[in-house]
Amino acid sequence: MSGNKIIIQGIEFYGYHGDLPQERELGQRFRVDLELILDGIAACSTDRIEDTIDYASVVNHVLEICRSEQYHLIEALAERIAGMVLEIFSPAEVMVRVTKPNPTIPAPVQSVGVEINRRRT
């Protein structure tokens, strides 16, 4: 990824995503990180919020998806988030990382996650 980059890290939420029944019934914590690549950010010279992507609006849209929808796979959740960001905010490119900080794996694992990169077509 190259160009001007907006980075949003650590969007945390409690959700009901997962393939195991207990994940979908009991839920668990998740974390979303985003990188939005822009062809240019006029706000660098204008210093106006209207000339960039409003971070708070991105976070609110991500949380709406994460809290109101259910997915068996975090890959599908990441894809849904990427599609929404590209459609609503129109960056040239987006990276979405979805992490389960405490996965339901019968082994000592700190976290598991996926990362996808998508471009506007």
Side-chain angles (χ1 to χ4, degrees):
M1 292 183 146
S2 62
N4 295 310
K5 185 184 297 187
I6 292 176
I7 301 167
I8 302 173
Q9 293 182 321
I11 304 170
E12 295 188 4
F13 68 96
Y14 198 86
Y16 299 86
H17 311 288
D19 200 45
L20 300 175
Q22 64 266 28
E23 292 176 307
R24 297 175 71 77
E25 292 170 16
L26 302 175
Q28 60 190 304
R29 289 184 17 221
F30 292 86
R31 176 184 165 135
V32 174
D33 301 308
L34 303 169
E35 292 183 8
L36 290 71
I37 304 299
L38 301 139
D39 294 328
I41 301 179
C44 292
S45 58
T46 67
D47 196 29
R48 294 170 23 107
I49 189 73
E50 298 83 10
D51 295 328
T52 191
I53 293 175
D54 182 351
Y55 317 146
S57 183
V58 174
V59 170
N60 288 335
H61 280 82
V62 168
L63 287 174
E64 176 63 26
I65 289 170
C66 294
R67 291 178 175 159
S68 66
E69 300 175 15
Q70 272 193 328
Y71 294 91
H72 286 275
L73 302 176
I74 56 176
E75 290 87 343
L77 175 59
E79 186 70 33
R80 171 72 172 96
I81 293 168
M84 175 277 298
V85 169
L86 289 170
E87 180 182 334
I88 294 176
F89 299 99
S90 300
E93 199 172 335
V94 63
M95 180 283 296
V96 178
R97 182 180 307 114
V98 178
T99 305
K100 290 182 178 185
N102 304 106
T104 54
I105 296 175
V109 176
Q110 183 178 6
S111 66
V112 297
V114 299
E115 179 177 305
I116 65 169
N117 293 280
R118 298 294 180 264
R119 289 188 172 155
R120 188 177 58 222
T121 55

